[in-house]
Amino acid sequence: MSLDLDALYIDLHRNPELSFQEHRTAGVISATLDELGIEHTTGVGGTGVVAVLRGNADGPVVYLRADTDGLPVLEQTGLDYASTAHGLDPHGLDVPVMHACGHDMHVTCLLGALERLVAQRDEWAGTVVALFQPAEEFGAGARAMLDDGLLERFPRPDVVLGQHVTPLPAGIVGVRPGTQMAASDGITVTLHGRGGHGSRPHSTIDPIVMAAATVMRLQTVVSREVDPRDVAVVTVGAIHAGLKNNIIPAEATLELSLRYPTDELREHVLDSVTRIVNAEALASGATEAPTITTLHTLPATINDADATARTVAAFQRAFGDDQVVDPGMFTGSEDVSWFARDADVPLVYWFWGGTDQHAYAVAKAAGTLDSDIPTNHSAMFAPVMHPTIERGVDALVVAAREWLE
Ligand code: ZN
Ligand code: ZN
């Protein structure tokens, strides 16, 4: 028996599901685990699946984590296995769904790695706990699994390992000690004005002008307040106000995405954002202070120095020194580190490339990597299947075996 990983990947890619709706995906995972004869539990943290695989003797417990959810993106890759799926988003809106972050690749590679570990069972001691985590894109799936008793119902980890496919050349592994991915907060700001007729602005407090001034002023947090040697991001990704040209609405809402590598900088940026939002409301004559609510909070993804050095050495031995790079810190965020933080054990989280090597080389030579190579969350994001699948499987097995030996 051997798994057809290409077919598995194509099936998952064609059938993406939104966060916390990964029912079919969990079914595919469960059926594949059955095929491999691996004991597992479904419905952990909603649509999560936990598989437990024991080696030939007691030993360390290694968590291997793959996230499973898709995104509300209309796929435009033109691939013959492109998704045409739809789903209902949390607002009840019918939206296209795509595996635009490559989580289908993560699931495929973790199942492939488990197959390999089953075959090698005589050679290793310890326990592998495979986490198929829902709702990474909500930043909520890891917490949901932990709240569902993950650490009590299953063996507690000695190390947490995970990986993410990214626009590096296919096969290249990118990992660094320390902050690998930024912390992030998603916040909603509701600006309260006073609505009225568009012809009588003097009788209103216009929240649209307030919002415009706030958005512009927020640009100074990073450019004027953060030490240029630090990294932070303040993005206003959504702005909602008004329905008609001659009505001044009573409210405007802004949705912000904030990123930082450390807890100290997080506090600084949050303070600055709060100060500016309140001050701009005051400057506009608002009589009610803005309402600020947190959508999600994600911790920085910090790779343990010793465990990362050990993993990098194992990767270099397995793949060659030139295949393992330091990709720098990513300003994206992840919820994988909750598993390690809650269990108080080291985390090693690496990236691996899924971009066609030739296309990458051409774009790099032309200086057009940013414009020509689609990134995660793009409607054009499509990892090449080979050697991405092979390297993703190998990386999980190599890293896991480093602890299971
Ligand atoms: Zn992702
Ligand atoms: Zn993503």
Side-chain angles (χ1 to χ4, degrees):
M1 167 217 65
S2 83
L3 297 180
D4 182 345
L5 294 181
D6 284 14
L8 189 60
Y9 173 74
I10 287 171
D11 178 60
L12 292 167
H13 191 84
R14 275 202 173 117
N15 296 284
E17 294 168 298
L18 293 170
S19 305
F20 283 131
Q21 301 180 34
E22 307 90 339
H23 299 284
R24 182 186 182 280
T25 306
V28 170
I29 292 165
S30 178
T32 310
L33 291 168
D34 277 337
E35 230 180 287
L36 295 173
I38 299 177
E39 87 180 68
H40 60 279
T41 307
T42 58
V44 181
T47 37
V49 181
V50 179
V52 178
L53 179 62
R54 294 175 207 279
N56 61 18
D58 284 347
V61 177
V62 176
Y63 275 21
L64 299 178
R65 179 269 207 169
D67 39 12
T68 61
D69 50 335
L71 283 161
V73 173
L74 179 62
E75 178 157 358
Q76 288 168 1
T77 59
L79 291 168
D80 57 4
Y81 54 89
S83 164
T84 55
H86 276 249
L88 285 184
D89 79 359
H91 309 292
L93 224 62
D94 183 76
V95 292
V97 186
M98 172 188 177
H99 266 300
C101 204
H103 298 182
D104 46 353
M105 188 59 81
H106 304 174
V107 172
T108 303
C109 291
L110 182 48
L111 288 167
L114 290 173
E115 178 183 39
R116 188 93 57 83
L117 289 165
V118 169
Q120 298 174 350
R121 215 174 204 160
D122 296 344
E123 302 169 23
W124 56 271
T127 303
V128 172
V129 178
L131 309 176
F132 295 90
Q133 181 211 301
E136 187 282 326
E137 298 292 354
F138 279 2
R143 180 50 59 208
M145 292 181 85
L146 287 159
D147 286 350
D148 202 4
L150 178 75
L151 298 178
E152 293 77 42
R153 293 165 61 193
F154 303 94
R156 287 180 78 93
D158 293 294
V159 66
V160 175
L161 307 174
Q163 61 178 5
H164 205 302
V165 66
T166 200
L168 287 168
I172 295 290
V173 176
V175 58
R176 72 195 314 263
T179 303
Q180 176 67 83
M181 299 185 79
S184 97
D185 288 274
I187 63 173
T188 299
V189 175
T190 304
L191 300 167
H192 306 288
R194 185 167 63 234
H197 201 288
S199 67
R200 293 178 45 79
H202 58 289
S203 68
T204 72
I205 299 168
D206 189 340
I208 290 183
V209 174
M210 203 189 309
T214 305
V215 170
M216 293 309 293
R217 185 84 193 183
L218 285 172
Q219 308 309 311
T220 65
V221 174
V222 172
S223 72
R224 304 292 84 183
E225 295 191 43
V226 172
D227 186 325
R229 292 165 296 183
D230 280 334
V231 180
V233 177
V234 174
T235 289
V236 182
I239 170 164
H240 303 284
L243 292 170
K244 196 174 180 307
N245 67 332
N246 63 355
I247 305 171
I248 292 171
E251 271 183 9
T253 58
L254 308 176
E255 288 181 31
L256 276 65
S257 179
L258 312 172
R259 318 270 171 166
Y260 5 68
T262 62
D263 290 345
E264 299 76 56
L265 197 52
R266 170 173 187 267
E267 210 160 298
H268 178 162
V269 170
L270 280 172
D271 281 353
S272 300
V273 167
T274 306
R275 189 193 73 239
I276 286 170
V277 164
N278 282 312
E280 286 295 345
L282 213 60
S284 299
T287 53
E288 191 185 336
T291 311
I292 301 177
T293 50
T294 299
L295 295 170
H296 66 78
T297 295
L298 291 173
T301 304
I302 299 175
N303 280 334
D304 179 82
D306 293 342
T308 303
R310 205 171 147 182
T311 308
V312 166
F315 285 156
Q316 286 171 333
R317 279 197 305 278
F319 307 139
D321 289 2
D322 62 329
Q323 298 290 296
V324 186
V325 301
D326 178 345
M329 191 196 86
F330 285 39
T331 48
S333 306
E334 254 291 338
D335 65 355
V336 65
S337 59
W338 288 129
F339 297 118
R341 285 175 185 244
D342 275 32
D344 198 20
V345 299
L347 169 76
V348 185
Y349 192 72
W350 63 89
F351 291 91
W352 91 108
T355 303
D356 178 73
Q357 291 155 350
H358 178 69
Y360 190 94
V362 168
K364 188 169 184 190
T368 55
L369 279 177
D370 283 341
S371 55
D372 288 358
I373 302 299
T375 59
N376 305 68
H377 291 207
S378 155
M380 299 292 291
F381 184 70
V384 291
M385 282 201 278
H386 305 288
T388 311
I389 291 177
E390 290 79 1
R391 185 51 52 91
V393 171
D394 289 344
L396 285 170
V397 173
V398 165
R401 289 291 302 269
E402 183 60 25
W403 271 266
L404 297 167
E405 236 49 79

PDB file of all heavy atoms in Angstrom, residues 197-228:
ATOM      1  N   HIS A 197     -28.025  65.209   6.669  1.00  0.00           N
ATOM      2  CA  HIS A 197     -28.152  65.436   5.239  1.00  0.00           C
ATOM      3  C   HIS A 197     -26.816  65.905   4.652  1.00  0.00           C
ATOM      4  O   HIS A 197     -26.125  66.718   5.254  1.00  0.00           O
ATOM      5  CB  HIS A 197     -29.243  66.479   4.969  1.00  0.00           C
ATOM      6  CG  HIS A 197     -29.770  66.415   3.570  1.00  0.00           C
ATOM      7  ND1 HIS A 197     -29.049  66.833   2.478  1.00  0.00           N
ATOM      8  CD2 HIS A 197     -30.955  65.957   3.088  1.00  0.00           C
ATOM      9  CE1 HIS A 197     -29.767  66.643   1.376  1.00  0.00           C
ATOM     10  NE2 HIS A 197     -30.936  66.105   1.724  1.00  0.00           N
ATOM     11  N   GLY A 198     -26.493  65.392   3.459  1.00  0.00           N
ATOM     12  CA  GLY A 198     -25.235  65.762   2.816  1.00  0.00           C
ATOM     13  C   GLY A 198     -25.141  67.245   2.495  1.00  0.00           C
ATOM     14  O   GLY A 198     -24.046  67.785   2.289  1.00  0.00           O
ATOM     15  N   SER A 199     -26.270  67.920   2.429  1.00  0.00           N
ATOM     16  CA  SER A 199     -26.261  69.355   2.122  1.00  0.00           C
ATOM     17  C   SER A 199     -26.053  70.204   3.378  1.00  0.00           C
ATOM     18  O   SER A 199     -25.900  71.420   3.291  1.00  0.00           O
ATOM     19  CB  SER A 199     -27.599  69.747   1.488  1.00  0.00           C
ATOM     20  OG  SER A 199     -28.632  69.617   2.458  1.00  0.00           O
ATOM     21  N   ARG A 200     -26.057  69.574   4.548  1.00  0.00           N
ATOM     22  CA  ARG A 200     -25.964  70.323   5.808  1.00  0.00           C
ATOM     23  C   ARG A 200     -24.843  69.768   6.691  1.00  0.00           C
ATOM     24  O   ARG A 200     -25.074  69.324   7.827  1.00  0.00           O
ATOM     25  CB  ARG A 200     -27.303  70.247   6.558  1.00  0.00           C
ATOM     26  CG  ARG A 200     -28.445  70.987   5.844  1.00  0.00           C
ATOM     27  CD  ARG A 200     -29.781  70.855   6.575  1.00  0.00           C
ATOM     28  NE  ARG A 200     -29.670  71.066   8.017  1.00  0.00           N
ATOM     29  CZ  ARG A 200     -29.590  72.269   8.609  1.00  0.00           C
ATOM     30  NH1 ARG A 200     -29.614  73.362   7.873  1.00  0.00           N
ATOM     31  NH2 ARG A 200     -29.484  72.368   9.919  1.00  0.00           N
ATOM     32  N   PRO A 201     -23.611  69.755   6.148  1.00  0.00           N
ATOM     33  CA  PRO A 201     -22.504  69.141   6.895  1.00  0.00           C
ATOM     34  C   PRO A 201     -22.256  69.807   8.250  1.00  0.00           C
ATOM     35  O   PRO A 201     -21.783  69.159   9.184  1.00  0.00           O
ATOM     36  CB  PRO A 201     -21.296  69.324   5.962  1.00  0.00           C
ATOM     37  CG  PRO A 201     -21.667  70.422   5.030  1.00  0.00           C
ATOM     38  CD  PRO A 201     -23.164  70.331   4.861  1.00  0.00           C
ATOM     39  N   HIS A 202     -22.598  71.093   8.350  1.00  0.00           N
ATOM     40  CA  HIS A 202     -22.316  71.801   9.600  1.00  0.00           C
ATOM     41  C   HIS A 202     -23.153  71.280  10.771  1.00  0.00           C
ATOM     42  O   HIS A 202     -22.818  71.502  11.931  1.00  0.00           O
ATOM     43  CB  HIS A 202     -22.581  73.299   9.419  1.00  0.00           C
ATOM     44  CG  HIS A 202     -23.993  73.590   8.999  1.00  0.00           C
ATOM     45  ND1 HIS A 202     -24.458  73.292   7.728  1.00  0.00           N
ATOM     46  CD2 HIS A 202     -25.040  74.092   9.691  1.00  0.00           C
ATOM     47  CE1 HIS A 202     -25.747  73.635   7.664  1.00  0.00           C
ATOM     48  NE2 HIS A 202     -26.120  74.118   8.826  1.00  0.00           N
ATOM     49  N   SER A 203     -24.250  70.566  10.421  1.00  0.00           N
ATOM     50  CA  SER A 203     -25.089  70.032  11.504  1.00  0.00           C
ATOM     51  C   SER A 203     -24.684  68.605  11.873  1.00  0.00           C
ATOM     52  O   SER A 203     -25.333  67.973  12.693  1.00  0.00           O
ATOM     53  CB  SER A 203     -26.562  70.052  11.077  1.00  0.00           C
ATOM     54  OG  SER A 203     -26.763  69.117  10.023  1.00  0.00           O
ATOM     55  N   THR A 204     -23.628  68.102  11.258  1.00  0.00           N
ATOM     56  CA  THR A 204     -23.207  66.717  11.504  1.00  0.00           C
ATOM     57  C   THR A 204     -21.788  66.678  12.079  1.00  0.00           C
ATOM     58  O   THR A 204     -21.096  67.697  12.109  1.00  0.00           O
ATOM     59  CB  THR A 204     -23.190  65.886  10.201  1.00  0.00           C
ATOM     60  OG1 THR A 204     -22.082  66.307   9.387  1.00  0.00           O
ATOM     61  CG2 THR A 204     -24.481  66.072   9.407  1.00  0.00           C
ATOM     62  N   ILE A 205     -21.416  65.488  12.524  1.00  0.00           N
ATOM     63  CA  ILE A 205     -19.992  65.208  12.797  1.00  0.00           C
ATOM     64  C   ILE A 205     -19.640  64.078  11.830  1.00  0.00           C
ATOM     65  O   ILE A 205     -20.079  62.943  12.016  1.00  0.00           O
ATOM     66  CB  ILE A 205     -19.773  64.784  14.259  1.00  0.00           C
ATOM     67  CG1 ILE A 205     -20.199  65.925  15.195  1.00  0.00           C
ATOM     68  CG2 ILE A 205     -18.313  64.417  14.510  1.00  0.00           C
ATOM     69  CD1 ILE A 205     -20.302  65.502  16.657  1.00  0.00           C
ATOM     70  N   ASP A 206     -18.914  64.436  10.772  1.00  0.00           N
ATOM     71  CA  ASP A 206     -18.747  63.526   9.637  1.00  0.00           C
ATOM     72  C   ASP A 206     -17.718  62.426   9.940  1.00  0.00           C
ATOM     73  O   ASP A 206     -16.514  62.684  10.002  1.00  0.00           O
ATOM     74  CB  ASP A 206     -18.314  64.331   8.408  1.00  0.00           C
ATOM     75  CG  ASP A 206     -18.335  63.495   7.145  1.00  0.00           C
ATOM     76  OD1 ASP A 206     -18.297  62.245   7.259  1.00  0.00           O
ATOM     77  OD2 ASP A 206     -18.379  64.071   6.051  1.00  0.00           O
ATOM     78  N   PRO A 207     -18.174  61.176  10.109  1.00  0.00           N
ATOM     79  CA  PRO A 207     -17.234  60.102  10.451  1.00  0.00           C
ATOM     80  C   PRO A 207     -16.353  59.691   9.273  1.00  0.00           C
ATOM     81  O   PRO A 207     -15.330  59.039   9.470  1.00  0.00           O
ATOM     82  CB  PRO A 207     -18.163  58.957  10.873  1.00  0.00           C
ATOM     83  CG  PRO A 207     -19.413  59.184  10.096  1.00  0.00           C
ATOM     84  CD  PRO A 207     -19.556  60.674   9.977  1.00  0.00           C
ATOM     85  N   ILE A 208     -16.767  60.076   8.057  1.00  0.00           N
ATOM     86  CA  ILE A 208     -15.935  59.712   6.898  1.00  0.00           C
ATOM     87  C   ILE A 208     -14.681  60.580   6.866  1.00  0.00           C
ATOM     88  O   ILE A 208     -13.570  60.090   6.634  1.00  0.00           O
ATOM     89  CB  ILE A 208     -16.752  59.815   5.591  1.00  0.00           C
ATOM     90  CG1 ILE A 208     -17.798  58.683   5.569  1.00  0.00           C
ATOM     91  CG2 ILE A 208     -15.840  59.749   4.370  1.00  0.00           C
ATOM     92  CD1 ILE A 208     -18.642  58.610   4.325  1.00  0.00           C
ATOM     93  N   VAL A 209     -14.848  61.866   7.124  1.00  0.00           N
ATOM     94  CA  VAL A 209     -13.675  62.743   7.202  1.00  0.00           C
ATOM     95  C   VAL A 209     -12.801  62.323   8.385  1.00  0.00           C
ATOM     96  O   VAL A 209     -11.568  62.277   8.293  1.00  0.00           O
ATOM     97  CB  VAL A 209     -14.112  64.221   7.325  1.00  0.00           C
ATOM     98  CG1 VAL A 209     -12.901  65.120   7.544  1.00  0.00           C
ATOM     99  CG2 VAL A 209     -14.876  64.650   6.076  1.00  0.00           C
ATOM    100  N   MET A 210     -13.462  61.965   9.486  1.00  0.00           N
ATOM    101  CA  MET A 210     -12.732  61.498  10.670  1.00  0.00           C
ATOM    102  C   MET A 210     -11.920  60.250  10.328  1.00  0.00           C
ATOM    103  O   MET A 210     -10.742  60.125  10.682  1.00  0.00           O
ATOM    104  CB  MET A 210     -13.754  61.170  11.773  1.00  0.00           C
ATOM    105  CG  MET A 210     -13.196  61.213  13.185  1.00  0.00           C
ATOM    106  SD  MET A 210     -14.395  60.570  14.417  1.00  0.00           S
ATOM    107  CE  MET A 210     -15.879  61.477  14.063  1.00  0.00           C
ATOM    108  N   ALA A 211     -12.554  59.346   9.586  1.00  0.00           N
ATOM    109  CA  ALA A 211     -11.876  58.099   9.202  1.00  0.00           C
ATOM    110  C   ALA A 211     -10.692  58.392   8.287  1.00  0.00           C
ATOM    111  O   ALA A 211      -9.607  57.829   8.449  1.00  0.00           O
ATOM    112  CB  ALA A 211     -12.859  57.149   8.516  1.00  0.00           C
ATOM    113  N   ALA A 212     -10.897  59.309   7.341  1.00  0.00           N
ATOM    114  CA  ALA A 212      -9.827  59.627   6.394  1.00  0.00           C
ATOM    115  C   ALA A 212      -8.618  60.203   7.128  1.00  0.00           C
ATOM    116  O   ALA A 212      -7.476  59.800   6.893  1.00  0.00           O
ATOM    117  CB  ALA A 212     -10.347  60.608   5.342  1.00  0.00           C
ATOM    118  N   ALA A 213      -8.874  61.126   8.038  1.00  0.00           N
ATOM    119  CA  ALA A 213      -7.780  61.736   8.796  1.00  0.00           C
ATOM    120  C   ALA A 213      -7.080  60.685   9.659  1.00  0.00           C
ATOM    121  O   ALA A 213      -5.851  60.669   9.773  1.00  0.00           O
ATOM    122  CB  ALA A 213      -8.321  62.864   9.672  1.00  0.00           C
ATOM    123  N   THR A 214      -7.876  59.797  10.236  1.00  0.00           N
ATOM    124  CA  THR A 214      -7.307  58.753  11.100  1.00  0.00           C
ATOM    125  C   THR A 214      -6.412  57.819  10.294  1.00  0.00           C
ATOM    126  O   THR A 214      -5.296  57.492  10.706  1.00  0.00           O
ATOM    127  CB  THR A 214      -8.439  57.950  11.784  1.00  0.00           C
ATOM    128  OG1 THR A 214      -9.290  58.867  12.482  1.00  0.00           O
ATOM    129  CG2 THR A 214      -7.882  56.926  12.753  1.00  0.00           C
ATOM    130  N   VAL A 215      -6.907  57.403   9.131  1.00  0.00           N
ATOM    131  CA  VAL A 215      -6.113  56.485   8.292  1.00  0.00           C
ATOM    132  C   VAL A 215      -4.781  57.123   7.921  1.00  0.00           C
ATOM    133  O   VAL A 215      -3.729  56.480   8.007  1.00  0.00           O
ATOM    134  CB  VAL A 215      -6.900  56.110   7.009  1.00  0.00           C
ATOM    135  CG1 VAL A 215      -5.994  55.359   6.034  1.00  0.00           C
ATOM    136  CG2 VAL A 215      -8.122  55.265   7.356  1.00  0.00           C
ATOM    137  N   MET A 216      -4.797  58.398   7.541  1.00  0.00           N
ATOM    138  CA  MET A 216      -3.547  59.057   7.156  1.00  0.00           C
ATOM    139  C   MET A 216      -2.608  59.194   8.352  1.00  0.00           C
ATOM    140  O   MET A 216      -1.419  58.933   8.258  1.00  0.00           O
ATOM    141  CB  MET A 216      -3.836  60.438   6.551  1.00  0.00           C
ATOM    142  CG  MET A 216      -4.555  60.392   5.226  1.00  0.00           C
ATOM    143  SD  MET A 216      -3.764  59.272   4.026  1.00  0.00           S
ATOM    144  CE  MET A 216      -2.229  60.160   3.737  1.00  0.00           C
ATOM    145  N   ARG A 217      -3.163  59.576   9.480  1.00  0.00           N
ATOM    146  CA  ARG A 217      -2.325  59.795  10.660  1.00  0.00           C
ATOM    147  C   ARG A 217      -1.707  58.471  11.158  1.00  0.00           C
ATOM    148  O   ARG A 217      -0.584  58.459  11.668  1.00  0.00           O
ATOM    149  CB  ARG A 217      -3.173  60.422  11.765  1.00  0.00           C
ATOM    150  CG  ARG A 217      -2.399  60.814  12.992  1.00  0.00           C
ATOM    151  CD  ARG A 217      -1.756  62.171  12.831  1.00  0.00           C
ATOM    152  NE  ARG A 217      -0.767  62.428  13.879  1.00  0.00           N
ATOM    153  CZ  ARG A 217      -0.100  63.563  14.007  1.00  0.00           C
ATOM    154  NH1 ARG A 217      -0.295  64.550  13.155  1.00  0.00           N
ATOM    155  NH2 ARG A 217       0.777  63.714  14.970  1.00  0.00           N
ATOM    156  N   LEU A 218      -2.447  57.381  10.984  1.00  0.00           N
ATOM    157  CA  LEU A 218      -1.928  56.080  11.428  1.00  0.00           C
ATOM    158  C   LEU A 218      -0.658  55.688  10.676  1.00  0.00           C
ATOM    159  O   LEU A 218       0.137  54.890  11.159  1.00  0.00           O
ATOM    160  CB  LEU A 218      -3.008  54.990  11.262  1.00  0.00           C
ATOM    161  CG  LEU A 218      -4.142  55.005  12.288  1.00  0.00           C
ATOM    162  CD1 LEU A 218      -5.236  54.013  11.883  1.00  0.00           C
ATOM    163  CD2 LEU A 218      -3.614  54.664  13.684  1.00  0.00           C
ATOM    164  N   GLN A 219      -0.492  56.269   9.486  1.00  0.00           N
ATOM    165  CA  GLN A 219       0.717  55.950   8.716  1.00  0.00           C
ATOM    166  C   GLN A 219       1.980  56.453   9.410  1.00  0.00           C
ATOM    167  O   GLN A 219       3.092  56.036   9.081  1.00  0.00           O
ATOM    168  CB  GLN A 219       0.643  56.560   7.298  1.00  0.00           C
ATOM    169  CG  GLN A 219      -0.615  56.231   6.519  1.00  0.00           C
ATOM    170  CD  GLN A 219      -0.910  54.743   6.487  1.00  0.00           C
ATOM    171  OE1 GLN A 219      -0.039  53.935   6.192  1.00  0.00           O
ATOM    172  NE2 GLN A 219      -2.133  54.381   6.827  1.00  0.00           N
ATOM    173  N   THR A 220       1.823  57.376  10.361  1.00  0.00           N
ATOM    174  CA  THR A 220       3.014  57.910  11.035  1.00  0.00           C
ATOM    175  C   THR A 220       3.485  57.033  12.187  1.00  0.00           C
ATOM    176  O   THR A 220       4.559  57.255  12.719  1.00  0.00           O
ATOM    177  CB  THR A 220       2.744  59.332  11.579  1.00  0.00           C
ATOM    178  OG1 THR A 220       1.740  59.246  12.602  1.00  0.00           O
ATOM    179  CG2 THR A 220       2.278  60.268  10.477  1.00  0.00           C
ATOM    180  N   VAL A 221       2.684  56.044  12.585  1.00  0.00           N
ATOM    181  CA  VAL A 221       3.113  55.202  13.714  1.00  0.00           C
ATOM    182  C   VAL A 221       4.429  54.514  13.360  1.00  0.00           C
ATOM    183  O   VAL A 221       5.431  54.620  14.075  1.00  0.00           O
ATOM    184  CB  VAL A 221       2.040  54.154  14.083  1.00  0.00           C
ATOM    185  CG1 VAL A 221       2.571  53.210  15.162  1.00  0.00           C
ATOM    186  CG2 VAL A 221       0.763  54.835  14.554  1.00  0.00           C
ATOM    187  N   VAL A 222       4.440  53.830  12.215  1.00  0.00           N
ATOM    188  CA  VAL A 222       5.656  53.113  11.833  1.00  0.00           C
ATOM    189  C   VAL A 222       6.723  54.084  11.334  1.00  0.00           C
ATOM    190  O   VAL A 222       7.898  53.976  11.698  1.00  0.00           O
ATOM    191  CB  VAL A 222       5.342  52.050  10.756  1.00  0.00           C
ATOM    192  CG1 VAL A 222       6.632  51.433  10.220  1.00  0.00           C
ATOM    193  CG2 VAL A 222       4.443  50.974  11.345  1.00  0.00           C
ATOM    194  N   SER A 223       6.319  55.081  10.529  1.00  0.00           N
ATOM    195  CA  SER A 223       7.337  55.942   9.902  1.00  0.00           C
ATOM    196  C   SER A 223       7.969  56.921  10.892  1.00  0.00           C
ATOM    197  O   SER A 223       9.121  57.309  10.718  1.00  0.00           O
ATOM    198  CB  SER A 223       6.735  56.709   8.723  1.00  0.00           C
ATOM    199  OG  SER A 223       5.864  57.719   9.178  1.00  0.00           O
ATOM    200  N   ARG A 224       7.249  57.336  11.939  1.00  0.00           N
ATOM    201  CA  ARG A 224       7.764  58.366  12.849  1.00  0.00           C
ATOM    202  C   ARG A 224       7.972  57.910  14.285  1.00  0.00           C
ATOM    203  O   ARG A 224       8.621  58.607  15.066  1.00  0.00           O
ATOM    204  CB  ARG A 224       6.821  59.582  12.881  1.00  0.00           C
ATOM    205  CG  ARG A 224       6.520  60.231  11.556  1.00  0.00           C
ATOM    206  CD  ARG A 224       7.747  60.921  10.956  1.00  0.00           C
ATOM    207  NE  ARG A 224       8.562  59.963  10.227  1.00  0.00           N
ATOM    208  CZ  ARG A 224       9.733  60.259   9.637  1.00  0.00           C
ATOM    209  NH1 ARG A 224      10.232  61.475   9.717  1.00  0.00           N
ATOM    210  NH2 ARG A 224      10.409  59.340   9.002  1.00  0.00           N
ATOM    211  N   GLU A 225       7.388  56.786  14.665  1.00  0.00           N
ATOM    212  CA  GLU A 225       7.453  56.425  16.088  1.00  0.00           C
ATOM    213  C   GLU A 225       8.237  55.156  16.373  1.00  0.00           C
ATOM    214  O   GLU A 225       8.689  54.944  17.486  1.00  0.00           O
ATOM    215  CB  GLU A 225       6.032  56.276  16.660  1.00  0.00           C
ATOM    216  CG  GLU A 225       5.257  57.583  16.674  1.00  0.00           C
ATOM    217  CD  GLU A 225       3.981  57.442  17.481  1.00  0.00           C
ATOM    218  OE1 GLU A 225       4.006  56.843  18.564  1.00  0.00           O
ATOM    219  OE2 GLU A 225       2.939  57.925  16.998  1.00  0.00           O
ATOM    220  N   VAL A 226       8.335  54.269  15.352  1.00  0.00           N
ATOM    221  CA  VAL A 226       9.051  53.003  15.565  1.00  0.00           C
ATOM    222  C   VAL A 226      10.502  53.195  15.146  1.00  0.00           C
ATOM    223  O   VAL A 226      10.777  53.794  14.092  1.00  0.00           O
ATOM    224  CB  VAL A 226       8.390  51.864  14.752  1.00  0.00           C
ATOM    225  CG1 VAL A 226       9.229  50.595  14.813  1.00  0.00           C
ATOM    226  CG2 VAL A 226       6.982  51.591  15.279  1.00  0.00           C
ATOM    227  N   ASP A 227      11.420  52.720  15.975  1.00  0.00           N
ATOM    228  CA  ASP A 227      12.843  52.766  15.654  1.00  0.00           C
ATOM    229  C   ASP A 227      13.053  52.144  14.272  1.00  0.00           C
ATOM    230  O   ASP A 227      12.603  51.024  14.024  1.00  0.00           O
ATOM    231  CB  ASP A 227      13.601  51.960  16.721  1.00  0.00           C
ATOM    232  CG  ASP A 227      15.115  52.061  16.569  1.00  0.00           C
ATOM    233  OD1 ASP A 227      15.603  52.124  15.415  1.00  0.00           O
ATOM    234  OD2 ASP A 227      15.805  52.058  17.602  1.00  0.00           O
ATOM    235  N   PRO A 228      13.724  52.865  13.366  1.00  0.00           N
ATOM    236  CA  PRO A 228      13.904  52.334  11.997  1.00  0.00           C
ATOM    237  C   PRO A 228      14.593  50.971  11.953  1.00  0.00           C
ATOM    238  O   PRO A 228      14.490  50.257  10.963  1.00  0.00           O
ATOM    239  CB  PRO A 228      14.782  53.381  11.313  1.00  0.00           C
ATOM    240  CG  PRO A 228      14.684  54.600  12.135  1.00  0.00           C
ATOM    241  CD  PRO A 228      14.308  54.191  13.524  1.00  0.00           C
TER     242      PRO A 228
END
